[in-house]
Amino acid sequence: MKGMIIVEHLGSTGRADIGDFEKMFAVTTVMIQSVITFLMQTQPPIGQQFFLGGFYKLAKFSASAFIFGILFSTIRTHPHATWRNYPRFMLNRWHVLFVPSILWTTVYLLFLPQLQQHSHYHNWTSFAWQFINGNAAPHLWYNVMMLQFIIIMPLFWMLAHWINHRAVRALVAFILVLIFEFGWHLTYALRVFHGPDAQRWYLLDRVFPSFLIFATAGTVLWQCYPKLSEVLKQHWLSQVVIWLALFYYVTLNFFSYGIPVWLTNAPYYLPSMIFYNLATIGLIATFALYMQKYRNQWLPMVHWIALYAHRAYLSHVFWLYWCWKLLNPLHIPLMLLFPLLILLTVGLAFLSAFSFHLVWVKFKDLLGIHRHLTNG
């Protein structure tokens, strides 16, 4: 009850939808992935490598779930949107998504340049390239990909209008995109993942076709919400069995590369990961439906977490870096260090996201700026 009061005081009284649940699980698990990445740099004993690797593979649905959640919530809240609504939509997203992305990318490049991936900038041209390609920090590749879906959102509005709550059209759209995605991931597996073009084509992991099926699934679920939500609730046990089988398969495949355990052997872009991620997204959606059915008291908290998920995501590696610098020299046992880093990273990331939002609101009030923006 106390949690409910706090959340309402924070201005987040809205009920969480499935997209909010997907974002909540996605942002927390991606932070866990980052923590594991830092821990694996110390080359822990083999047993601990397998322990951390198992958690890493378990959480390897986060980017897909976030894309699904964004599309589900956006299609739900913009049911009649067309190209006419695009300028206003982009103005809102510019302030809520693009500005924080620009600010945090600048912070990483200027104050933590050692976190850059693949190469480091050495002049203004390479600085600009690192700025836009997602190499400024280990997690920003995903941000580059996610913003692409915001830019092409009218295409999904058009898809939603074409489906228009018709199950046959939804099925056709889903199957066609699934076939394309399977071929795309198969190409990646053969050519890029341990393939001949691993260095030349590595940027394929941050272009929107790599996650197109999850955006389509989010659109389809809302367009056929009454029927599909009932299917999800009725077949929850089958979903659990399928998920367990898929998790066993992808984890076995990950560990088949032997020791030491390399996290690079667990990419998103294998054909099997399409189905593992879809199965995980389905389970989260089913969990959300039951939470909604029983009007769980924590629904406003889930909604609040989803509102600040992107900004917390942007900052979390910054806070993790400094927590790591503080705690690593203390030689804390892994079983304590792992959860402690997660709690500190998640807590500081969301605290900073909300605090910066409050500061910005106060600053706008001082300047007399009263433009209304949808926070999320």
Side-chain angles (χ1 to χ4, degrees):
M1 190 67 185
K2 191 176 292 183
M4 285 277 290
I5 296 172
I6 293 172
V7 174
E8 290 180 4
H9 177 69
L10 295 176
S12 178
T13 57
R15 290 296 178 95
D17 67 2
I18 287 175
D20 291 335
F21 277 85
E22 301 286 353
K23 293 174 191 175
M24 178 184 71
F25 277 94
V27 74
T28 50
T29 52
V30 80
M31 292 183 191
I32 292 173
Q33 289 181 54
S34 296
V35 170
I36 292 172
T37 301
F38 273 69
L39 290 171
M40 290 291 274
Q41 291 174 0
T42 64
Q43 298 181 330
I46 296 302
Q48 293 183 1
Q49 289 183 31
F50 277 96
F51 171 77
L52 293 171
F55 265 99
Y56 189 83
K57 198 64 181 179
L58 178 69
K60 201 67 179 180
F61 65 88
S62 52
S64 309
F66 209 96
I67 294 300
F68 177 94
I70 289 171
L71 266 295
F72 178 89
S73 296
T74 303
I75 298 299
R76 183 184 70 82
T77 55
H78 298 75
H80 307 295
T82 66
W83 281 99
R84 289 184 182 178
N85 306 102
Y86 188 57
R88 182 176 178 83
F89 173 81
M90 282 303 296
L91 177 64
N92 178 279
R93 293 310 189 261
W94 170 257
H95 289 280
V96 175
L97 299 177
F98 284 83
V99 170
S101 298
I102 292 169
L103 293 176
W104 274 110
T105 301
T106 303
V107 168
Y108 285 114
L109 285 175
L110 294 182
F111 298 104
L112 292 175
Q114 63 270 32
L115 293 180
Q116 290 176 88
Q117 305 294 293
H118 297 283
S119 62
H120 287 218
Y121 67 85
H122 54 274
N123 54 34
W124 283 109
T125 303
S126 55
F127 179 90
W129 177 234
Q130 292 292 86
F131 195 96
I132 65 173
N133 68 10
N135 284 338
H139 63 310
L140 292 182
W141 68 269
Y142 163 76
N143 192 60
V144 169
M145 182 273 301
M146 189 237 3
L147 293 178
Q148 292 171 52
F149 279 98
I150 300 302
I151 294 171
I152 65 171
M153 191 61 70
L155 300 180
F156 295 98
W157 293 341
M158 293 168 64
L159 176 63
H161 294 327
W162 180 76
I163 294 173
N164 195 26
H165 311 294
R166 299 176 187 176
V168 174
R169 290 189 176 186
L171 184 62
V172 168
F174 183 80
I175 290 175
L176 288 176
V177 175
L178 182 61
I179 293 171
F180 165 80
E181 196 79 324
F182 189 88
W184 181 276
H185 282 223
L186 186 61
T187 302
Y188 190 96
L190 295 174
R191 301 295 304 179
V192 183
F193 180 57
H194 296 316
D197 299 305
Q199 296 301 318
R200 288 193 303 159
W201 290 5
Y202 79 90
L203 288 174
L204 281 182
D205 68 1
R206 63 204 67 187
V207 294
F208 74 89
S210 298
F211 291 85
L212 194 60
I213 185 61
F214 308 108
T216 303
T219 305
V220 165
L221 179 57
W222 179 248
Q223 281 298 303
C224 300
Y225 187 76
K227 293 180 180 178
L228 289 179
S229 60
E230 285 304 312
V231 170
L232 289 172
K233 287 188 289 186
Q234 290 173 9
H235 298 283
W236 66 270
L237 184 57
S238 300
Q239 290 185 72
V240 172
V241 173
I242 292 170
W243 181 86
L244 286 172
L246 288 168
F247 177 62
Y248 174 78
Y249 177 80
V250 298
T251 306
L252 194 67
N253 184 59
F254 172 42
F255 288 143
S256 68
Y257 291 96
I259 55 176
V261 176
W262 295 103
L263 299 182
T264 51
N265 289 325
Y268 281 100
Y269 319 103
L270 298 177
S272 58
M273 290 302 295
I274 298 173
F275 301 101
Y276 172 70
N277 288 339
L278 286 173
T280 309
I281 288 167
L283 277 182
I284 295 171
T286 305
F287 174 68
L289 289 169
Y290 278 104
M291 293 279 279
Q292 292 170 341
K293 179 180 178 181
Y294 296 108
R295 301 180 183 275
N296 188 277
Q297 64 173 338
W298 293 106
L299 288 175
M301 177 63 81
V302 174
H303 183 61
W304 183 85
I305 291 172
L307 288 178
Y308 293 95
H310 178 249
R311 281 161 282 186
Y313 164 80
L314 289 172
S315 69
H316 85 273
V317 172
F318 177 87
W319 301 113
L320 172 58
Y321 176 83
W322 294 113
C323 290
W324 175 253
K325 284 290 187 181
L326 176 67
L327 296 177
N328 187 45
L330 302 180
H331 303 291
I332 301 172
L334 178 72
M335 291 302 138
L336 292 177
L337 183 60
F338 184 34
L340 182 58
L341 280 173
I342 292 171
L343 288 173
L344 287 172
T345 302
V346 173
L348 288 170
F350 276 96
L351 179 63
S352 64
F354 184 60
S355 299
F356 292 150
H357 170 69
L358 290 182
V359 169
W360 176 239
V361 169
K362 292 291 185 182
F363 182 69
K364 287 196 300 181
D365 288 341
L366 289 174
L367 295 179
I369 301 173
H370 302 294
R371 184 189 296 115
H372 174 70
L373 293 172
T374 304
N375 182 24

